[in-house]
């Protein structure tokens, strides 16, 4: 098993010129702003990219990034299990931008809401709908209870099923995502 290390945003910024940055967020999140030079390989496409990531890691250190550090930790674990040495950005792009480091956006990209904001809106709307509908149909409270249970499960497991569903919506899919071109860039 390979090693997994972490870097703070300031440490990563100082070494950015020598790192290959892999952003495992959704294409929509990536389009909203990413580390300079980052390659977008969404977490659910990581297995497809193993060969290219191994080739890139042979040339230098890989820095894996997400919004908060949770998905990048999952990606690092999966890559380390495949014998690929990786480094994770502590606090993700959130910490990066909070410290004032530069982010890039594809030309003409619209800025969708961050995934955590979308999840809060969807969960809150479903809970409110369940409570309001329960005034007329008491069993509608089960919708609110189900969402609450899902949020607790999400916190305990550090996963988010609602985010996975929301990531598939059209507004979270930018038009110019080309995984094949990204993989080709990593292998050359």
């Amino acid at each position: 098993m390979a090693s997994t290390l972490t870097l703070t945003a300031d440490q990563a910024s100082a070494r950015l010129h020598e790192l290959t940055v892999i952003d495992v967020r959704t294409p929509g999140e990536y389009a909203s702003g990413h580390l300079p030079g980052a390659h977008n390989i969404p977490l659910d496409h990581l297995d497809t990219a193993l060969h290219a990531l191994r080739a890139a890691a042979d040339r230098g250190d890989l820095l894996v990034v997400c919004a908060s550090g949770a998905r990048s930790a999952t990606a690092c674990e999966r890559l380390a299990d495949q014998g690929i040495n990786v480094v994770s950005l502590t606090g993700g792009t959130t910490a990066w931008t909070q410290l004032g480091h530069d982010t890039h956006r594809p030309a003409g990209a619209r800025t969708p809401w961050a995934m955590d904001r979308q999840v809060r809106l969807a969960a809150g709307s479903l809970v409110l709908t369940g409570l309001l509908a329960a005034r007329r149909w008491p069993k509608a409270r089960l919708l609110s209870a189900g969402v609450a249970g899902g949020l607790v499960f999400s916190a305990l497991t550090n996963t988010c099923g609602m985010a996975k569903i929301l990531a598939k919506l059209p507004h979270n899919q930018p038009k110019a995502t080309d995984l094949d071109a990204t993989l080709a860039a990593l292998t050359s």
Side-chain angles (χ1 to χ4, degrees):
M1 186 163 137
S3 66
T4 300
L5 304 172
T6 60
L7 291 176
T8 66
D10 287 334
Q11 291 169 327
S13 179
R15 293 188 52 204
L16 197 58
H17 64 282
E18 64 187 56
L19 298 168
T20 299
V21 182
I22 307 298
D23 192 320
V24 296
R25 297 177 299 159
T26 65
E29 291 174 292
Y30 175 82
S32 70
H34 54 270
L35 274 67
H39 300 278
N40 185 221
I41 301 177
L43 187 59
D44 57 343
H45 294 298
L46 202 59
D47 293 333
T48 304
L50 282 176
H51 176 73
L53 291 169
R54 187 172 278 113
D58 288 343
R59 291 190 307 274
D61 291 335
L62 292 183
L63 175 65
V64 181
V65 179
C66 70
S68 67
R71 283 177 282 179
S72 62
T74 299
C76 285
E77 189 176 300
R78 287 171 53 188
L79 293 171
D81 287 345
Q82 295 296 318
I84 300 172
N85 290 321
V86 289
V87 179
S88 181
L89 179 63
T90 303
T93 55
T94 301
W96 180 268
T97 56
Q98 283 176 345
L99 291 173
H101 296 295
D102 188 32
T103 58
H104 292 178
R105 288 182 178 79
R110 56 185 156 65
T111 305
W113 283 3
M115 188 56 65
D116 64 315
R117 185 176 180 191
Q118 292 181 49
V119 168
R120 289 192 309 263
L121 175 67
S125 297
L126 289 170
V127 168
L128 187 58
T129 298
L131 292 173
L132 291 174
R135 295 180 69 188
R136 183 166 174 108
W137 303 283
K139 288 189 179 188
R141 289 182 304 201
L142 294 175
L143 175 62
S144 299
V147 172
L151 291 171
V152 170
F153 179 79
S154 174
L156 293 174
T157 61
N158 201 25
T159 61
C160 187
M162 189 177 291
K164 288 180 182 177
I165 293 168
L166 291 172
K168 296 181 186 309
L169 293 175
H171 66 273
N172 284 321
Q173 303 296 320
K175 297 173 186 159
T177 299
D178 188 354
L179 185 60
D180 292 332
T182 299
L183 298 180
L186 289 173
T187 55
S188 60

